[in-house]
Amino acid sequence: YRLHSLASKFSVREHISNEAGRLAGSMRRELRPIIEGQDRVKIEPKRSGRLSRSALSRIPTGERRAFLKKTYGKADRSVVHIMLDCSGSMVGDRITKSLIATHAILEALEPIQRVKTGYSNFPIGIALSPDGSADCNLETSYFSLVKDYEEPLAVVKRTSVDYFPDARSSTPMVGTLMSVCSNILTRPEEKKTVIVVTDGMPSDEGQSKANEVIERFRSMGVNVLGVSIGFDDDSTAMDEVFGKGGHASVNDLNELPKALKKAAKTAIS
């Protein structure tokens, strides 16, 4: 039985890794211009560059700028922290899809220069009541830091026991957000983004408090986005926590790259 259980767990992890790898390419294409800031493209008439057909008719009038030249704005330095909700409500297919999304985002951003990524799971675990039963209100810690900003993703995937977490316990989203966002504010990068992969059901202080904290950190320059996959009933809850347009909620993982791009374009300036 134990060998069967281990084989089953390995099979699930292999599936997550394969799907994340498949999704990472399209995720990178969609997010790269926004995260780097290279969507700031100017196309201007110049005296050298690529010939502009529309300008040819103006040459007899003395117009010498018959060429077009593309210039890119300097890419900003960015830091992105992904928070993965591993609470009991995420059990089963929900945690599997959420892990695929989380790992795909990490793999998509890893090769991009001037981008640092961090990754945390929350909660880290539960405490026991005096009678020995689990008490969801007694968190031993808000979250577990899986990947530090300076760690290569390949090393984390190979060595971290928390890279494939199980769903468990309650949802200390407010406490985790305050810790992660406060820390990211101290970073030197110009763009600071926190992506929360969740079902939008915090248990520590409720949805309104979570939204209050998110709006506070947004006003301080932290772009906070939500991600939810595969459950129609999450959309209203996600609106309550992240605000309309502040999250990407999809039924199919293949829809996530474009949905996340849309939410990111709204939030990331």
Side-chain angles (χ1 to χ4, degrees):
Y1 173 78
R2 186 177 180 182
L3 286 174
H4 175 76
S5 178
L6 288 172
S8 177
K9 182 171 286 190
F10 176 80
S11 176
V12 170
R13 291 183 176 185
E14 187 176 37
H15 167 70
I16 291 169
S17 296
N18 290 339
E19 286 297 297
R22 180 186 63 80
L23 199 61
S26 57
M27 191 82 72
R28 187 179 305 116
R29 286 192 297 273
E30 299 292 350
L31 294 182
R32 185 170 201 155
I34 303 167
I35 296 293
E36 279 192 319
Q38 285 189 353
D39 53 334
R40 299 173 300 171
V41 179
K42 290 183 180 179
I43 303 178
E44 299 176 303
K46 299 286 183 179
R47 295 191 178 189
S48 64
R50 193 178 71 180
L51 186 65
S52 170
R53 292 182 180 179
S54 62
L56 290 176
S57 61
R58 297 197 297 271
I59 291 178
T61 67
E63 174 62 71
R64 300 287 184 89
R65 296 177 301 171
F67 300 88
L68 293 178
K69 188 174 181 180
K70 268 187 184 181
T71 57
Y72 294 85
K74 183 180 178 181
D76 293 322
R77 295 178 301 167
S78 295
V79 58
V80 181
H81 195 109
I82 303 171
M83 291 169 42
L84 174 61
D85 179 355
C86 301
S87 62
S89 62
M90 299 286 285
V91 71
D93 196 43
R94 187 172 291 205
I95 190 65
T96 300
K97 289 182 177 179
S98 296
L99 274 166
I100 292 170
T102 299
H103 292 185
I105 296 169
L106 286 167
E107 291 185 27
L109 299 181
E110 181 73 3
I112 302 178
Q113 292 184 351
R114 300 172 69 85
V115 176
K116 301 282 189 180
T117 58
Y119 165 33
S120 295
N121 298 328
F122 69 100
I124 191 173
I126 58 174
L128 297 179
S129 299
D131 63 0
S133 61
D135 187 337
C136 291
N137 294 315
L138 298 173
E139 298 294 336
T140 57
S141 180
Y142 287 127
F143 65 97
S144 170
L145 180 63
V146 182
K147 181 187 181 298
D148 184 73
Y149 300 115
E150 308 304 325
E151 287 182 285
L153 181 60
V155 174
V156 175
K157 290 168 71 173
R158 188 171 64 249
T159 61
S160 176
V161 295
D162 290 325
Y163 196 65
F164 294 92
D166 296 319
R168 62 200 180 255
S169 188
S170 56
T171 317
M173 186 186 296
V174 173
T176 305
L177 275 167
M178 292 181 69
S179 296
V180 170
C181 291
S182 295
N183 176 265
I184 210 170
L185 275 172
T186 67
R187 297 284 305 180
E189 291 83 4
E190 290 84 9
K191 287 187 175 181
K192 301 170 173 63
T193 303
V194 174
I195 299 175
V196 189
V197 183
T198 181
D199 59 0
M201 301 295 288
S203 62
D204 45 0
E205 297 187 60
Q207 293 169 326
S208 60
K209 181 63 177 179
N211 178 257
E212 178 187 321
V213 169
I214 287 169
E215 292 302 328
R216 185 196 315 160
F217 281 106
R218 281 174 175 168
S219 70
M220 297 168 72
V222 181
N223 307 299
V224 184
L225 304 171
V227 169
S228 177
I229 305 104
F231 295 86
D232 290 325
D233 57 341
D234 286 352
S235 185
T236 302
M238 296 291 283
D239 283 346
E240 292 290 329
V241 175
F242 298 96
K244 289 186 180 296
H247 61 92
S249 297
V250 298
N251 289 315
D252 189 327
L253 278 164
N254 293 314
E255 301 168 357
L256 183 58
K258 289 188 180 299
L260 189 53
K261 176 185 179 179
K262 182 178 179 180
K265 285 184 75 171
T266 302
I268 299 176
S269 54

PDB file of all heavy atoms in Angstrom, residues 113-149:
ATOM      1  N   GLN A 113      15.699  38.339 -17.749  1.00  0.00           N
ATOM      2  CA  GLN A 113      16.675  39.169 -17.058  1.00  0.00           C
ATOM      3  C   GLN A 113      15.981  40.292 -16.308  1.00  0.00           C
ATOM      4  O   GLN A 113      14.922  40.760 -16.703  1.00  0.00           O
ATOM      5  CB  GLN A 113      17.674  39.748 -18.058  1.00  0.00           C
ATOM      6  CG  GLN A 113      18.594  38.718 -18.676  1.00  0.00           C
ATOM      7  CD  GLN A 113      19.635  39.347 -19.576  1.00  0.00           C
ATOM      8  OE1 GLN A 113      19.588  40.533 -19.875  1.00  0.00           O
ATOM      9  NE2 GLN A 113      20.604  38.545 -20.010  1.00  0.00           N
ATOM     10  N   ARG A 114      16.600  40.708 -15.220  1.00  0.00           N
ATOM     11  CA  ARG A 114      16.106  41.814 -14.389  1.00  0.00           C
ATOM     12  C   ARG A 114      14.811  41.480 -13.657  1.00  0.00           C
ATOM     13  O   ARG A 114      14.110  42.361 -13.178  1.00  0.00           O
ATOM     14  CB  ARG A 114      15.931  43.093 -15.235  1.00  0.00           C
ATOM     15  CG  ARG A 114      17.217  43.567 -15.889  1.00  0.00           C
ATOM     16  CD  ARG A 114      16.961  44.705 -16.854  1.00  0.00           C
ATOM     17  NE  ARG A 114      16.568  45.921 -16.167  1.00  0.00           N
ATOM     18  CZ  ARG A 114      17.403  46.810 -15.644  1.00  0.00           C
ATOM     19  NH1 ARG A 114      18.710  46.608 -15.716  1.00  0.00           N
ATOM     20  NH2 ARG A 114      16.958  47.899 -15.056  1.00  0.00           N
ATOM     21  N   VAL A 115      14.457  40.188 -13.584  1.00  0.00           N
ATOM     22  CA  VAL A 115      13.280  39.753 -12.827  1.00  0.00           C
ATOM     23  C   VAL A 115      13.711  38.755 -11.755  1.00  0.00           C
ATOM     24  O   VAL A 115      14.376  37.765 -12.052  1.00  0.00           O
ATOM     25  CB  VAL A 115      12.218  39.097 -13.738  1.00  0.00           C
ATOM     26  CG1 VAL A 115      11.045  38.577 -12.899  1.00  0.00           C
ATOM     27  CG2 VAL A 115      11.726  40.082 -14.784  1.00  0.00           C
ATOM     28  N   LYS A 116      13.332  39.025 -10.504  1.00  0.00           N
ATOM     29  CA  LYS A 116      13.585  38.122  -9.386  1.00  0.00           C
ATOM     30  C   LYS A 116      12.247  37.542  -8.928  1.00  0.00           C
ATOM     31  O   LYS A 116      11.237  38.253  -8.879  1.00  0.00           O
ATOM     32  CB  LYS A 116      14.231  38.857  -8.214  1.00  0.00           C
ATOM     33  CG  LYS A 116      15.560  39.537  -8.539  1.00  0.00           C
ATOM     34  CD  LYS A 116      16.683  38.538  -8.576  1.00  0.00           C
ATOM     35  CE  LYS A 116      18.038  39.235  -8.691  1.00  0.00           C
ATOM     36  NZ  LYS A 116      19.157  38.286  -8.727  1.00  0.00           N
ATOM     37  N   THR A 117      12.235  36.247  -8.577  1.00  0.00           N
ATOM     38  CA  THR A 117      10.987  35.626  -8.131  1.00  0.00           C
ATOM     39  C   THR A 117      11.143  34.984  -6.757  1.00  0.00           C
ATOM     40  O   THR A 117      12.199  34.459  -6.417  1.00  0.00           O
ATOM     41  CB  THR A 117      10.519  34.539  -9.119  1.00  0.00           C
ATOM     42  OG1 THR A 117      11.542  33.548  -9.268  1.00  0.00           O
ATOM     43  CG2 THR A 117      10.186  35.136 -10.474  1.00  0.00           C
ATOM     44  N   GLY A 118      10.072  35.053  -5.981  1.00  0.00           N
ATOM     45  CA  GLY A 118       9.978  34.352  -4.708  1.00  0.00           C
ATOM     46  C   GLY A 118       8.701  33.534  -4.692  1.00  0.00           C
ATOM     47  O   GLY A 118       7.767  33.801  -5.456  1.00  0.00           O
ATOM     48  N   TYR A 119       8.649  32.543  -3.818  1.00  0.00           N
ATOM     49  CA  TYR A 119       7.494  31.633  -3.790  1.00  0.00           C
ATOM     50  C   TYR A 119       7.275  31.164  -2.357  1.00  0.00           C
ATOM     51  O   TYR A 119       8.205  30.701  -1.696  1.00  0.00           O
ATOM     52  CB  TYR A 119       7.764  30.464  -4.737  1.00  0.00           C
ATOM     53  CG  TYR A 119       6.867  29.244  -4.612  1.00  0.00           C
ATOM     54  CD1 TYR A 119       5.536  29.334  -4.244  1.00  0.00           C
ATOM     55  CD2 TYR A 119       7.374  27.970  -4.904  1.00  0.00           C
ATOM     56  CE1 TYR A 119       4.729  28.203  -4.146  1.00  0.00           C
ATOM     57  CE2 TYR A 119       6.582  26.836  -4.822  1.00  0.00           C
ATOM     58  CZ  TYR A 119       5.264  26.963  -4.439  1.00  0.00           C
ATOM     59  OH  TYR A 119       4.474  25.845  -4.344  1.00  0.00           O
ATOM     60  N   SER A 120       6.025  31.310  -1.883  1.00  0.00           N
ATOM     61  CA  SER A 120       5.667  30.863  -0.537  1.00  0.00           C
ATOM     62  C   SER A 120       4.371  30.067  -0.563  1.00  0.00           C
ATOM     63  O   SER A 120       3.485  30.331  -1.392  1.00  0.00           O
ATOM     64  CB  SER A 120       5.481  32.061   0.405  1.00  0.00           C
ATOM     65  OG  SER A 120       6.681  32.761   0.591  1.00  0.00           O
ATOM     66  N   ASN A 121       4.262  29.101   0.352  1.00  0.00           N
ATOM     67  CA  ASN A 121       3.015  28.383   0.592  1.00  0.00           C
ATOM     68  C   ASN A 121       2.420  28.861   1.910  1.00  0.00           C
ATOM     69  O   ASN A 121       3.145  29.140   2.861  1.00  0.00           O
ATOM     70  CB  ASN A 121       3.261  26.872   0.719  1.00  0.00           C
ATOM     71  CG  ASN A 121       3.846  26.274  -0.548  1.00  0.00           C
ATOM     72  OD1 ASN A 121       3.560  26.731  -1.634  1.00  0.00           O
ATOM     73  ND2 ASN A 121       4.679  25.254  -0.393  1.00  0.00           N
ATOM     74  N   PHE A 122       1.103  28.948   1.974  1.00  0.00           N
ATOM     75  CA  PHE A 122       0.468  29.267   3.259  1.00  0.00           C
ATOM     76  C   PHE A 122      -0.784  28.418   3.431  1.00  0.00           C
ATOM     77  O   PHE A 122      -1.479  28.147   2.454  1.00  0.00           O
ATOM     78  CB  PHE A 122       0.160  30.767   3.370  1.00  0.00           C
ATOM     79  CG  PHE A 122      -0.926  31.264   2.435  1.00  0.00           C
ATOM     80  CD1 PHE A 122      -2.229  31.458   2.896  1.00  0.00           C
ATOM     81  CD2 PHE A 122      -0.660  31.543   1.099  1.00  0.00           C
ATOM     82  CE1 PHE A 122      -3.238  31.929   2.057  1.00  0.00           C
ATOM     83  CE2 PHE A 122      -1.658  32.018   0.251  1.00  0.00           C
ATOM     84  CZ  PHE A 122      -2.941  32.211   0.731  1.00  0.00           C
ATOM     85  N   PRO A 123      -1.058  27.912   4.663  1.00  0.00           N
ATOM     86  CA  PRO A 123      -0.262  28.082   5.887  1.00  0.00           C
ATOM     87  C   PRO A 123       0.887  27.077   5.926  1.00  0.00           C
ATOM     88  O   PRO A 123       0.932  26.125   5.154  1.00  0.00           O
ATOM     89  CB  PRO A 123      -1.271  27.768   6.988  1.00  0.00           C
ATOM     90  CG  PRO A 123      -2.141  26.711   6.370  1.00  0.00           C
ATOM     91  CD  PRO A 123      -2.269  27.116   4.907  1.00  0.00           C
ATOM     92  N   ILE A 124       1.780  27.270   6.901  1.00  0.00           N
ATOM     93  CA  ILE A 124       2.875  26.325   7.055  1.00  0.00           C
ATOM     94  C   ILE A 124       2.437  25.081   7.809  1.00  0.00           C
ATOM     95  O   ILE A 124       2.986  24.001   7.662  1.00  0.00           O
ATOM     96  CB  ILE A 124       4.077  26.982   7.772  1.00  0.00           C
ATOM     97  CG1 ILE A 124       5.314  26.087   7.695  1.00  0.00           C
ATOM     98  CG2 ILE A 124       3.742  27.324   9.212  1.00  0.00           C
ATOM     99  CD1 ILE A 124       6.576  26.735   8.219  1.00  0.00           C
ATOM    100  N   GLY A 125       1.397  25.200   8.624  1.00  0.00           N
ATOM    101  CA  GLY A 125       0.927  24.047   9.404  1.00  0.00           C
ATOM    102  C   GLY A 125      -0.079  24.480  10.456  1.00  0.00           C
ATOM    103  O   GLY A 125      -0.530  25.612  10.470  1.00  0.00           O
ATOM    104  N   ILE A 126      -0.441  23.578  11.341  1.00  0.00           N
ATOM    105  CA  ILE A 126      -1.416  23.890  12.385  1.00  0.00           C
ATOM    106  C   ILE A 126      -0.872  23.505  13.738  1.00  0.00           C
ATOM    107  O   ILE A 126       0.033  22.696  13.871  1.00  0.00           O
ATOM    108  CB  ILE A 126      -2.758  23.160  12.144  1.00  0.00           C
ATOM    109  CG1 ILE A 126      -2.530  21.647  12.090  1.00  0.00           C
ATOM    110  CG2 ILE A 126      -3.421  23.635  10.874  1.00  0.00           C
ATOM    111  CD1 ILE A 126      -3.815  20.842  12.006  1.00  0.00           C
ATOM    112  N   ALA A 127      -1.434  24.127  14.759  1.00  0.00           N
ATOM    113  CA  ALA A 127      -1.094  23.764  16.133  1.00  0.00           C
ATOM    114  C   ALA A 127      -2.191  22.861  16.694  1.00  0.00           C
ATOM    115  O   ALA A 127      -3.267  22.735  16.122  1.00  0.00           O
ATOM    116  CB  ALA A 127      -0.964  25.035  16.978  1.00  0.00           C
ATOM    117  N   LEU A 128      -1.921  22.237  17.812  1.00  0.00           N
ATOM    118  CA  LEU A 128      -2.899  21.353  18.441  1.00  0.00           C
ATOM    119  C   LEU A 128      -3.542  22.020  19.646  1.00  0.00           C
ATOM    120  O   LEU A 128      -2.892  22.748  20.398  1.00  0.00           O
ATOM    121  CB  LEU A 128      -2.228  20.049  18.871  1.00  0.00           C
ATOM    122  CG  LEU A 128      -1.650  19.187  17.750  1.00  0.00           C
ATOM    123  CD1 LEU A 128      -1.008  17.944  18.351  1.00  0.00           C
ATOM    124  CD2 LEU A 128      -2.719  18.795  16.741  1.00  0.00           C
ATOM    125  N   SER A 129      -4.834  21.775  19.808  1.00  0.00           N
ATOM    126  CA  SER A 129      -5.533  22.246  20.997  1.00  0.00           C
ATOM    127  C   SER A 129      -5.092  21.415  22.200  1.00  0.00           C
ATOM    128  O   SER A 129      -4.464  20.352  22.047  1.00  0.00           O
ATOM    129  CB  SER A 129      -7.045  22.085  20.797  1.00  0.00           C
ATOM    130  OG  SER A 129      -7.463  22.852  19.692  1.00  0.00           O
ATOM    131  N   PRO A 130      -5.419  21.876  23.409  1.00  0.00           N
ATOM    132  CA  PRO A 130      -5.049  21.116  24.607  1.00  0.00           C
ATOM    133  C   PRO A 130      -5.542  19.674  24.602  1.00  0.00           C
ATOM    134  O   PRO A 130      -4.908  18.791  25.186  1.00  0.00           O
ATOM    135  CB  PRO A 130      -5.695  21.926  25.744  1.00  0.00           C
ATOM    136  CG  PRO A 130      -5.721  23.325  25.219  1.00  0.00           C
ATOM    137  CD  PRO A 130      -6.004  23.182  23.749  1.00  0.00           C
ATOM    138  N   ASP A 131      -6.669  19.397  23.925  1.00  0.00           N
ATOM    139  CA  ASP A 131      -7.181  18.028  23.894  1.00  0.00           C
ATOM    140  C   ASP A 131      -6.529  17.173  22.809  1.00  0.00           C
ATOM    141  O   ASP A 131      -6.880  16.015  22.612  1.00  0.00           O
ATOM    142  CB  ASP A 131      -8.705  18.020  23.707  1.00  0.00           C
ATOM    143  CG  ASP A 131      -9.130  18.636  22.371  1.00  0.00           C
ATOM    144  OD1 ASP A 131      -8.246  19.066  21.604  1.00  0.00           O
ATOM    145  OD2 ASP A 131     -10.336  18.681  22.110  1.00  0.00           O
ATOM    146  N   GLY A 132      -5.583  17.774  22.068  1.00  0.00           N
ATOM    147  CA  GLY A 132      -4.850  17.026  21.056  1.00  0.00           C
ATOM    148  C   GLY A 132      -5.429  17.114  19.669  1.00  0.00           C
ATOM    149  O   GLY A 132      -4.841  16.595  18.722  1.00  0.00           O
ATOM    150  N   SER A 133      -6.572  17.783  19.520  1.00  0.00           N
ATOM    151  CA  SER A 133      -7.165  17.907  18.193  1.00  0.00           C
ATOM    152  C   SER A 133      -6.581  19.121  17.465  1.00  0.00           C
ATOM    153  O   SER A 133      -6.073  20.050  18.081  1.00  0.00           O
ATOM    154  CB  SER A 133      -8.685  18.062  18.304  1.00  0.00           C
ATOM    155  OG  SER A 133      -9.007  19.242  19.030  1.00  0.00           O
ATOM    156  N   ALA A 134      -6.686  19.095  16.127  1.00  0.00           N
ATOM    157  CA  ALA A 134      -6.171  20.214  15.336  1.00  0.00           C
ATOM    158  C   ALA A 134      -7.043  21.439  15.537  1.00  0.00           C
ATOM    159  O   ALA A 134      -8.268  21.352  15.540  1.00  0.00           O
ATOM    160  CB  ALA A 134      -6.126  19.833  13.861  1.00  0.00           C
ATOM    161  N   ASP A 135      -6.427  22.580  15.737  1.00  0.00           N
ATOM    162  CA  ASP A 135      -7.147  23.838  15.915  1.00  0.00           C
ATOM    163  C   ASP A 135      -6.767  24.758  14.770  1.00  0.00           C
ATOM    164  O   ASP A 135      -5.635  25.252  14.712  1.00  0.00           O
ATOM    165  CB  ASP A 135      -6.784  24.480  17.255  1.00  0.00           C
ATOM    166  CG  ASP A 135      -7.646  25.705  17.552  1.00  0.00           C
ATOM    167  OD1 ASP A 135      -8.188  26.295  16.598  1.00  0.00           O
ATOM    168  OD2 ASP A 135      -7.769  26.061  18.736  1.00  0.00           O
ATOM    169  N   CYS A 136      -7.689  24.998  13.867  1.00  0.00           N
ATOM    170  CA  CYS A 136      -7.380  25.799  12.685  1.00  0.00           C
ATOM    171  C   CYS A 136      -7.118  27.262  13.009  1.00  0.00           C
ATOM    172  O   CYS A 136      -6.658  28.021  12.172  1.00  0.00           O
ATOM    173  CB  CYS A 136      -8.522  25.712  11.664  1.00  0.00           C
ATOM    174  SG  CYS A 136      -8.661  24.077  10.897  1.00  0.00           S
ATOM    175  N   ASN A 137      -7.431  27.690  14.226  1.00  0.00           N
ATOM    176  CA  ASN A 137      -7.192  29.074  14.606  1.00  0.00           C
ATOM    177  C   ASN A 137      -5.804  29.272  15.216  1.00  0.00           C
ATOM    178  O   ASN A 137      -5.398  30.390  15.512  1.00  0.00           O
ATOM    179  CB  ASN A 137      -8.250  29.537  15.619  1.00  0.00           C
ATOM    180  CG  ASN A 137      -9.633  29.578  14.998  1.00  0.00           C
ATOM    181  OD1 ASN A 137      -9.799  30.067  13.893  1.00  0.00           O
ATOM    182  ND2 ASN A 137     -10.616  29.044  15.708  1.00  0.00           N
ATOM    183  N   LEU A 138      -5.078  28.194  15.432  1.00  0.00           N
ATOM    184  CA  LEU A 138      -3.754  28.279  16.029  1.00  0.00           C
ATOM    185  C   LEU A 138      -2.696  27.931  15.000  1.00  0.00           C
ATOM    186  O   LEU A 138      -2.262  26.794  14.897  1.00  0.00           O
ATOM    187  CB  LEU A 138      -3.646  27.338  17.245  1.00  0.00           C
ATOM    188  CG  LEU A 138      -4.583  27.630  18.418  1.00  0.00           C
ATOM    189  CD1 LEU A 138      -4.468  26.524  19.456  1.00  0.00           C
ATOM    190  CD2 LEU A 138      -4.260  28.973  19.048  1.00  0.00           C
ATOM    191  N   GLU A 139      -2.314  28.918  14.197  1.00  0.00           N
ATOM    192  CA  GLU A 139      -1.320  28.677  13.169  1.00  0.00           C
ATOM    193  C   GLU A 139       0.078  28.697  13.768  1.00  0.00           C
ATOM    194  O   GLU A 139       0.411  29.579  14.555  1.00  0.00           O
ATOM    195  CB  GLU A 139      -1.404  29.752  12.074  1.00  0.00           C
ATOM    196  CG  GLU A 139      -2.732  29.778  11.343  1.00  0.00           C
ATOM    197  CD  GLU A 139      -2.969  28.531  10.523  1.00  0.00           C
ATOM    198  OE1 GLU A 139      -2.000  27.865  10.154  1.00  0.00           O
ATOM    199  OE2 GLU A 139      -4.144  28.231  10.272  1.00  0.00           O
ATOM    200  N   THR A 140       0.901  27.717  13.442  1.00  0.00           N
ATOM    201  CA  THR A 140       2.275  27.734  13.925  1.00  0.00           C
ATOM    202  C   THR A 140       3.069  28.830  13.217  1.00  0.00           C
ATOM    203  O   THR A 140       4.024  29.359  13.757  1.00  0.00           O
ATOM    204  CB  THR A 140       2.955  26.372  13.657  1.00  0.00           C
ATOM    205  OG1 THR A 140       2.879  26.088  12.250  1.00  0.00           O
ATOM    206  CG2 THR A 140       2.273  25.268  14.419  1.00  0.00           C
ATOM    207  N   SER A 141       2.679  29.185  12.011  1.00  0.00           N
ATOM    208  CA  SER A 141       3.308  30.272  11.261  1.00  0.00           C
ATOM    209  C   SER A 141       2.412  30.573  10.084  1.00  0.00           C
ATOM    210  O   SER A 141       1.632  29.731   9.654  1.00  0.00           O
ATOM    211  CB  SER A 141       4.699  29.871  10.783  1.00  0.00           C
ATOM    212  OG  SER A 141       5.292  30.925  10.062  1.00  0.00           O
ATOM    213  N   TYR A 142       2.505  31.800   9.568  1.00  0.00           N
ATOM    214  CA  TYR A 142       1.641  32.153   8.450  1.00  0.00           C
ATOM    215  C   TYR A 142       2.003  31.397   7.176  1.00  0.00           C
ATOM    216  O   TYR A 142       1.140  30.895   6.473  1.00  0.00           O
ATOM    217  CB  TYR A 142       1.722  33.654   8.182  1.00  0.00           C
ATOM    218  CG  TYR A 142       1.017  34.499   9.202  1.00  0.00           C
ATOM    219  CD1 TYR A 142       1.677  35.546   9.835  1.00  0.00           C
ATOM    220  CD2 TYR A 142      -0.319  34.262   9.529  1.00  0.00           C
ATOM    221  CE1 TYR A 142       1.031  36.337  10.765  1.00  0.00           C
ATOM    222  CE2 TYR A 142      -0.984  35.043  10.463  1.00  0.00           C
ATOM    223  CZ  TYR A 142      -0.301  36.084  11.087  1.00  0.00           C
ATOM    224  OH  TYR A 142      -0.930  36.848  12.008  1.00  0.00           O
ATOM    225  N   PHE A 143       3.294  31.358   6.841  1.00  0.00           N
ATOM    226  CA  PHE A 143       3.653  30.780   5.547  1.00  0.00           C
ATOM    227  C   PHE A 143       5.042  30.154   5.580  1.00  0.00           C
ATOM    228  O   PHE A 143       5.841  30.402   6.482  1.00  0.00           O
ATOM    229  CB  PHE A 143       3.600  31.853   4.453  1.00  0.00           C
ATOM    230  CG  PHE A 143       4.610  32.955   4.620  1.00  0.00           C
ATOM    231  CD1 PHE A 143       5.818  32.909   3.930  1.00  0.00           C
ATOM    232  CD2 PHE A 143       4.369  34.033   5.454  1.00  0.00           C
ATOM    233  CE1 PHE A 143       6.758  33.919   4.067  1.00  0.00           C
ATOM    234  CE2 PHE A 143       5.300  35.051   5.603  1.00  0.00           C
ATOM    235  CZ  PHE A 143       6.502  34.992   4.907  1.00  0.00           C
ATOM    236  N   SER A 144       5.293  29.356   4.559  1.00  0.00           N
ATOM    237  CA  SER A 144       6.595  28.717   4.383  1.00  0.00           C
ATOM    238  C   SER A 144       7.253  29.306   3.139  1.00  0.00           C
ATOM    239  O   SER A 144       6.681  29.249   2.050  1.00  0.00           O
ATOM    240  CB  SER A 144       6.418  27.206   4.224  1.00  0.00           C
ATOM    241  OG  SER A 144       7.629  26.598   3.822  1.00  0.00           O
ATOM    242  N   LEU A 145       8.442  29.879   3.293  1.00  0.00           N
ATOM    243  CA  LEU A 145       9.173  30.413   2.155  1.00  0.00           C
ATOM    244  C   LEU A 145       9.836  29.258   1.411  1.00  0.00           C
ATOM    245  O   LEU A 145      10.714  28.590   1.944  1.00  0.00           O
ATOM    246  CB  LEU A 145      10.226  31.420   2.609  1.00  0.00           C
ATOM    247  CG  LEU A 145      11.074  32.053   1.504  1.00  0.00           C
ATOM    248  CD1 LEU A 145      10.206  32.869   0.548  1.00  0.00           C
ATOM    249  CD2 LEU A 145      12.181  32.928   2.105  1.00  0.00           C
ATOM    250  N   VAL A 146       9.393  29.014   0.192  1.00  0.00           N
ATOM    251  CA  VAL A 146       9.906  27.902  -0.608  1.00  0.00           C
ATOM    252  C   VAL A 146      11.087  28.345  -1.467  1.00  0.00           C
ATOM    253  O   VAL A 146      12.084  27.651  -1.576  1.00  0.00           O
ATOM    254  CB  VAL A 146       8.799  27.319  -1.512  1.00  0.00           C
ATOM    255  CG1 VAL A 146       9.320  26.132  -2.320  1.00  0.00           C
ATOM    256  CG2 VAL A 146       7.589  26.909  -0.676  1.00  0.00           C
ATOM    257  N   LYS A 147      10.967  29.524  -2.063  1.00  0.00           N
ATOM    258  CA  LYS A 147      12.034  30.049  -2.929  1.00  0.00           C
ATOM    259  C   LYS A 147      12.353  31.486  -2.560  1.00  0.00           C
ATOM    260  O   LYS A 147      11.483  32.369  -2.599  1.00  0.00           O
ATOM    261  CB  LYS A 147      11.621  29.985  -4.403  1.00  0.00           C
ATOM    262  CG  LYS A 147      12.700  30.484  -5.354  1.00  0.00           C
ATOM    263  CD  LYS A 147      12.191  30.566  -6.784  1.00  0.00           C
ATOM    264  CE  LYS A 147      13.279  31.046  -7.736  1.00  0.00           C
ATOM    265  NZ  LYS A 147      13.756  32.406  -7.417  1.00  0.00           N
ATOM    266  N   ASP A 148      13.598  31.734  -2.212  1.00  0.00           N
ATOM    267  CA  ASP A 148      14.070  33.088  -1.964  1.00  0.00           C
ATOM    268  C   ASP A 148      14.348  33.774  -3.303  1.00  0.00           C
ATOM    269  O   ASP A 148      14.585  33.114  -4.316  1.00  0.00           O
ATOM    270  CB  ASP A 148      15.338  33.052  -1.108  1.00  0.00           C
ATOM    271  CG  ASP A 148      15.811  34.437  -0.732  1.00  0.00           C
ATOM    272  OD1 ASP A 148      15.180  35.078   0.121  1.00  0.00           O
ATOM    273  OD2 ASP A 148      16.812  34.888  -1.312  1.00  0.00           O
ATOM    274  N   TYR A 149      14.354  35.091  -3.308  1.00  0.00           N
ATOM    275  CA  TYR A 149      14.529  35.841  -4.547  1.00  0.00           C
ATOM    276  C   TYR A 149      15.857  35.560  -5.244  1.00  0.00           C
ATOM    277  O   TYR A 149      15.958  35.685  -6.463  1.00  0.00           O
ATOM    278  CB  TYR A 149      14.401  37.340  -4.274  1.00  0.00           C
ATOM    279  CG  TYR A 149      13.058  37.730  -3.709  1.00  0.00           C
ATOM    280  CD1 TYR A 149      12.937  38.251  -2.428  1.00  0.00           C
ATOM    281  CD2 TYR A 149      11.900  37.561  -4.459  1.00  0.00           C
ATOM    282  CE1 TYR A 149      11.708  38.600  -1.909  1.00  0.00           C
ATOM    283  CE2 TYR A 149      10.659  37.910  -3.951  1.00  0.00           C
ATOM    284  CZ  TYR A 149      10.568  38.430  -2.666  1.00  0.00           C
ATOM    285  OH  TYR A 149       9.343  38.761  -2.151  1.00  0.00           O
TER     286      TYR A 149
END
